[in-house]
Amino acid sequence: MAEVKRILADARVVTLTGPGGVGKTRLASRVALTVGRAFPDGVWLVDLATLQSQGMLARAVIEALGIRDRSARAALDVLAEHLRNKRLLLILDNCEHVVDECAAVTRTVQMTAPDLRILATSRQSLSVPGEQLLEVSPLTMPGSTGAGDRGRALERFEAVRLFAERGADVSPGFAVTDANGDAVVEICRRLDGMPLAIELAAAQLRILSLEQLLANLEDRFELLTGSGRPLPHHRTLRALIDWSYDLCTAEERLLWARLSIFAGSFDLEAAETVCSGEGIVRQEVVDLVGGMVDKSILIPQRHEEVVRYRLLETIRQYGRQKLDESGRSATLRRRHRDHYRRLAAQTRARVAGPDQRSWLLRLGTEHPNLRVALEYCYTEPGQARAGLAMAADLMYHWISGVFLGEGRAWLERGLAAEPDPSDVRAHALWTSSVLAVIQGDASAAETMLRECRSLGDALGDPMALAYTVFCTGMLALGRGDVTSAIPSLEEALRRFRLIGYDMGVVEVLIRLCVAHCLTGDESLAISIGEEARAICETQGEHWRKAYSLVVLGAATCRQGDTRRATELVSEALRINRSLDDPRGVGVDLEVLAWIAVTEGRFQRAARLYGILRSVWEKVGEPPLSGYAYPATYREDSESRTCRAIGEYLFGLELRRGARLDDDDALAYALEEQSSDAVPRAESDRLMPLTRKETQVARMIRKGMSNKEIATALVIAQRTAESHVEHILGKLGLASRTQIAIWVGENERAREPAGPGSEGGAG
């Protein structure tokens, strides 16, 4: 770790190399936990092991960084622009299967971000300018015997200490003693100090004695070499995994191979659905999974209230080879696709209800598997239509997260592969049109809408025709052409009502509220906005309710009732904050600033505009797609504010607002803190976390549950859960335990250094 940090201080790219199982990923993750002070813009880990589609690497990095760009720009351009002038550490983990693409992305971002550092793990070099290679060595071991060291004194050697810790995990009370020290040393020597091999071997202490474990290793390795000669590192690990595989039951071996079909992690339901049958009874999967966890083959992880599982990449690759050898790979790929195709369809049907947030979070967690399922559809003959249908069903997944550009890419790929007229093509056309409108890509949207209208007429597809006129109205409203927008929106409203599609009705009503407000008919706008809100409340829908509230608040403000307007927009802001919708937050802040100007609270308005600029800088200012008002509103409002308080104070408040962290900014916007509040000292925070995330992380270290954290901070439990998810994502961690360790290490790093101590990287 010290060597990695030393090299990072000078080298722009550091690549950790070495065979699988030597601990490259673990080392990179541990370094990430200790260098936060050197990188004020954060340390971000991108796991590339799940990436199976070519050309997706830049999108994977965008996703990991949480970039909410909604433009139609190329992903690599978006990434390069975001990293410009950033001082951050980007960890690219498991690069070997996409090494050329990693090199291309690295070269591009290096040109725009001179302060960027990249730490890569790969079995081969990236071969980019400024790269420094560091070979990760196996763990330290005693010599061929433990001579000179007895019992616990041996644990000063890394390999012995790891074996002792993992052995105690599965066999409570196990320790290295004078009596067993020589056997432990010989096991570690046989395993070449390879961390993964040591963990797999130690897991067998659940069923074998130390002597049996050593005897089995000696027999197996001598069979492979014909003598006592050591194996190369990669063959050592392979032999150990072979042995672990042989120790599994027949059903566990089948499940191991079948689980390798998943990308990233999976839940029990997915394992049961995809992997049962033909030798595995569905009801037995839960016990088989438990047995594989006991053998250190599967790693459990908790997400929200669900336990998910993953295979370490080396273990997964081994299982995939076994699956390929069995001749069942094609069947499992199809079953995997079928499961996630059903999940996409279920989400489309349920995403408008009270469980909206949980469904969208689930899709976010399953994103690597969704990618694999879509890739299967577009590479397997005859499956493109299923892929196109799946991509269209995922519309709200693409809209709600960081995947807008990726969603359009999957849809465009499917539309090109499946050109024949069909209801599926019509669905994909209007879905892609909606995404294009949100991105402000009017030309592409209009082209798709013309075909969608023609196809809808030919097929008699009422949903396609309704969405066609709806998107046409959105485009007109985004251009400020209210005269053209209102008839299209009214026609869309009529069509959605005939179909009985309430959420389509709400979407149109929101835009009509804006349109009539722009014509000066605030009374009609308010009536329309109230209807949209009422439908959402009846359906238990939160996301669209937030947008109905903000446009209703804007209309109410224009009618002169600023107090009521503030209540409405503040409620919208709270909803969008809980749903983690930064675009919605930006629109809410915009309207709150207008309200402040209307009330003559110009200093508050200026600070809100500073906060707003910070929001748009982070997530990319969205083109106007019918939710917000023309840019002239902001220009007039900002000009009034600047004239009222003067350029100096206006600039001062802009800067104050821009410096507030996310939690303080929203607290100020909601007037939950004094108007005299200024940015809190950075010393209160653990970078790259916000102040509130720092509070949550410290509470996790104390062992508090999400419910206890919510009670202590007086927030909803779902908000506490959202903070935990953000922390895990920002830090590239997988569990609350890792958060607790990270907090402890950072708190110790913040303590005043003693005499002769040295700093970290940078």
Side-chain angles (χ1 to χ4, degrees):
M1 286 177 61
E3 183 68 2
V4 174
K5 290 191 284 186
R6 185 190 67 77
I7 298 174
L8 272 175
D10 298 313
R12 299 185 65 187
V13 181
V14 178
T15 301
L16 306 180
T17 63
V22 78
K24 300 184 295 294
T25 294
R26 189 75 60 90
L27 175 59
S29 298
R30 294 293 291 176
V31 169
L33 297 178
T34 63
V35 297
R37 287 189 300 170
F39 299 99
D41 293 308
V43 178
W44 306 86
L45 188 144
V46 188
D47 182 5
L48 303 178
T50 64
L51 204 62
Q52 298 184 21
S53 303
Q54 291 296 318
M56 297 294 287
L57 193 141
R59 295 192 187 281
V61 179
I62 285 173
E63 174 191 339
L65 291 172
I67 301 171
R68 303 296 186 102
D69 182 83
R70 293 181 172 270
S71 71
R73 294 181 297 165
L76 187 53
D77 293 340
V78 171
L79 178 61
E81 178 63 28
H82 176 82
L83 293 176
R84 186 185 302 275
N85 301 323
K86 292 284 195 304
R87 183 168 179 79
L88 61 76
L89 175 63
L90 185 63
I91 301 177
L92 301 178
D93 189 30
N94 293 297
C95 296
E96 48 274 344
H97 65 298
V98 285
V99 67
D100 291 338
E101 197 172 351
C102 283
V105 169
T106 297
R107 291 189 192 99
T108 298
V109 298
Q110 278 183 312
M111 291 189 290
T112 63
D115 292 326
L116 171 72
R117 294 290 187 271
I118 293 177
L119 177 61
T121 73
S122 177
R123 297 182 191 181
Q124 66 182 95
S125 165
L126 301 188
S127 299
V128 296
E131 180 183 28
Q132 292 287 319
L133 299 180
L134 179 63
E135 184 173 357
V136 179
S137 303
L139 302 178
T140 59
M141 296 181 293
S144 59
T145 70
D149 294 296
R150 306 300 301 169
R152 289 188 176 276
L154 288 168
E155 292 191 22
R156 77 175 191 273
F157 295 101
E158 297 159 349
V160 175
R161 187 163 70 250
L162 178 62
F163 186 90
E165 290 173 356
R166 295 300 181 265
D169 287 342
V170 299
S171 180
F174 175 80
V176 180
T177 65
D178 291 350
N180 67 19
D182 288 347
V184 171
V185 169
E186 183 60 19
I187 288 171
C188 292
R189 186 183 71 81
R190 286 279 184 175
L191 299 178
D192 291 331
M194 295 285 284
L196 180 55
I198 290 171
E199 292 192 353
L200 290 172
Q204 304 306 329
L205 291 179
R206 187 183 303 275
I207 56 174
L208 299 176
S209 70
L210 192 64
E211 292 72 20
Q212 289 173 317
L213 174 59
L214 178 57
N216 275 277
L217 280 178
E218 288 177 336
D219 290 345
R220 177 167 290 270
F221 282 25
E222 287 188 12
L223 180 65
L224 288 171
T225 63
S227 69
R229 293 193 303 272
L231 293 165
H233 289 323
H234 67 279
R235 291 194 64 200
T236 296
L237 182 60
R238 172 69 189 216
L240 217 290
I241 298 177
D242 278 337
W243 185 44
S244 297
Y245 184 80
D246 292 343
L247 289 174
C248 290
T249 65
E251 292 82 4
E252 287 173 339
R253 290 197 291 268
L254 272 178
L255 187 59
W256 182 342
R258 294 177 186 180
L259 290 174
S260 69
I261 207 71
F262 291 101
S265 63
F266 54 88
D267 59 21
L268 185 60
E269 178 191 355
E272 291 172 339
T273 302
V274 176
C275 301
S276 62
E278 300 179 76
I280 298 177
V281 178
R282 184 184 181 103
Q283 291 76 11
E284 295 178 351
V285 171
V286 61
D287 293 329
L288 295 174
V289 166
M292 294 172 73
V293 170
D294 289 343
K295 294 180 176 69
S296 295
I297 296 164
L298 280 178
I299 309 297
Q301 301 172 317
R302 179 168 291 278
H303 286 261
E304 298 277 319
E305 300 304 317
V306 177
V307 176
R308 297 180 64 84
Y309 304 89
R310 69 181 178 92
L311 295 161
L312 292 176
E313 183 58 16
T314 304
I315 302 295
R316 191 193 70 79
Q317 290 174 359
Y318 181 93
R320 189 57 184 268
Q321 182 178 341
K322 292 294 184 182
L323 182 62
D324 291 342
E325 291 171 357
S326 73
R328 302 289 295 163
S329 180
T331 300
L332 265 292
R333 289 180 67 216
R334 176 66 175 263
R335 291 171 67 173
H336 176 277
R337 190 285 309 273
D338 290 347
H339 176 71
Y340 288 101
R341 172 74 185 91
R342 285 191 296 270
L343 178 62
Q346 289 170 350
T347 304
R348 177 192 174 196
R350 301 182 187 183
V351 77
D355 296 328
Q356 179 181 72
R357 179 178 179 274
S358 62
W359 279 97
L360 291 174
L361 282 175
R362 182 178 180 185
L363 288 183
T365 304
E366 295 286 11
H367 188 68
N369 283 305
L370 296 174
R371 275 181 175 154
V372 170
L374 287 165
E375 186 67 23
Y376 170 87
C377 292
Y378 292 150
T379 54
E380 191 72 13
Q383 297 301 314
R385 181 168 177 172
L388 189 58
M390 182 177 174
D393 281 344
L394 289 169
M395 181 173 76
Y396 289 106
H397 174 57
W398 308 132
I399 293 173
S400 66
V402 297
F403 313 114
L404 192 64
E406 181 175 342
R408 274 195 71 188
W410 286 117
L411 286 161
E412 289 170 359
R413 186 174 172 184
L415 287 168
E418 188 67 17
D420 294 339
S422 68
D423 57 343
V424 171
R425 183 171 179 83
H427 183 190
L429 282 167
W430 60 252
T431 300
S432 191
S433 297
V434 170
L435 303 189
V437 170
I438 294 172
Q439 289 186 315
D441 191 353
S443 176
E446 288 167 350
T447 299
M448 288 185 287
L449 289 172
R450 282 194 294 271
E451 182 184 351
C452 190
R453 181 181 294 107
S454 176
L455 194 53
D457 284 331
L459 298 172
D461 186 334
M463 187 70 81
L465 293 172
Y467 263 103
T468 297
V469 290
F470 173 47
C471 289
T472 300
M474 280 201 294
L475 286 170
L477 193 57
R479 293 193 301 265
D481 185 0
V482 181
T483 304
S484 299
I486 290 177
S488 293
L489 293 172
E490 289 176 341
E491 175 64 12
L493 182 63
R494 183 186 69 81
R495 289 179 179 274
F496 280 130
R497 289 196 198 276
L498 284 173
I499 298 169
Y501 183 46
D502 286 342
M503 291 304 102
V505 170
V506 171
E507 293 274 14
V508 178
L509 289 173
I510 291 171
R511 274 64 174 209
L512 276 173
C513 178
V514 174
H516 286 294
C517 196
L518 289 171
T519 66
D521 195 345
E522 287 86 9
S523 295
L524 179 56
I526 290 171
S527 174
I528 291 172
E530 290 286 7
E531 182 185 356
R533 181 174 69 162
I535 295 172
C536 291
E537 290 175 347
T538 300
Q539 299 285 341
E541 214 281 349
H542 300 291
W543 191 12
R544 293 175 181 85
K545 179 183 175 181
Y547 285 99
S548 67
L549 286 168
V550 72
V551 296
L552 183 57
T556 303
C557 174
R558 285 179 61 85
Q559 202 174 49
D561 189 352
T562 56
R563 180 176 179 179
R564 175 63 177 152
T566 301
E567 292 172 355
L568 291 166
V569 182
S570 295
E571 184 181 353
L573 181 55
R574 291 187 180 95
I575 294 172
N576 281 322
R577 176 171 63 176
S578 70
L579 294 175
D580 190 25
D581 180 0
R583 179 176 60 145
V585 167
V587 175
D588 299 335
L589 291 170
E590 185 97 57
V591 178
L592 284 174
W594 298 343
I595 293 171
V597 172
T598 303
E599 293 178 326
R601 301 171 68 189
F602 296 109
Q603 194 167 340
R604 169 176 165 79
R607 192 173 302 184
L608 286 171
Y609 277 123
I611 296 170
L612 184 63
R613 290 182 181 184
S614 178
V615 169
W616 291 149
E617 180 182 347
K618 292 174 184 174
V619 305
E621 184 169 358
L624 299 176
S625 58
Y627 280 127
Y629 291 76
T632 53
Y633 273 53
R634 183 191 306 168
E635 294 168 5
D636 292 343
S637 181
E638 287 192 1
S639 295
R640 284 185 60 191
T641 303
C642 186
R643 288 196 302 271
I645 60 177
E647 288 187 9
Y648 174 78
L649 186 54
F650 179 71
L652 178 64
E653 290 298 337
L654 281 178
R655 291 189 294 275
R656 282 182 170 177
R659 291 203 307 271
L660 289 170
D661 70 28
D662 293 344
D663 294 311
D664 279 340
L666 294 184
Y668 178 80
L670 293 168
E671 301 193 77
E672 295 172 349
Q673 64 183 36
S674 166
S675 62
D676 293 329
V678 295
R680 293 176 181 264
E682 289 297 310
S683 60
D684 289 343
R685 299 169 54 194
L686 297 173
M687 296 294 287
L689 305 183
T690 66
R691 181 179 58 83
K692 185 60 66 65
E693 288 167 351
T694 298
Q695 287 180 288
V696 171
R698 285 171 172 153
M699 290 178 176
I700 289 172
R701 189 188 180 201
K702 294 177 181 178
M704 296 172 68
S705 67
N706 287 343
K707 185 175 182 180
E708 291 169 333
I709 292 171
T711 301
L713 296 179
V714 198
I715 57 177
Q717 184 172 337
R718 65 176 180 272
T719 304
E721 293 166 354
S722 180
H723 281 309
V724 175
E725 288 296 320
H726 289 173
I727 293 167
L728 291 169
K730 283 185 176 182
L731 301 180
L733 303 179
S735 70
R736 299 169 73 92
T737 301
Q738 291 178 335
I739 293 175
I741 294 170
W742 182 88
V743 172
E745 293 183 345
N746 274 268
E747 297 285 22
R748 286 191 292 275
R750 291 155 64 89
E751 294 172 358
S757 64
E758 296 180 357

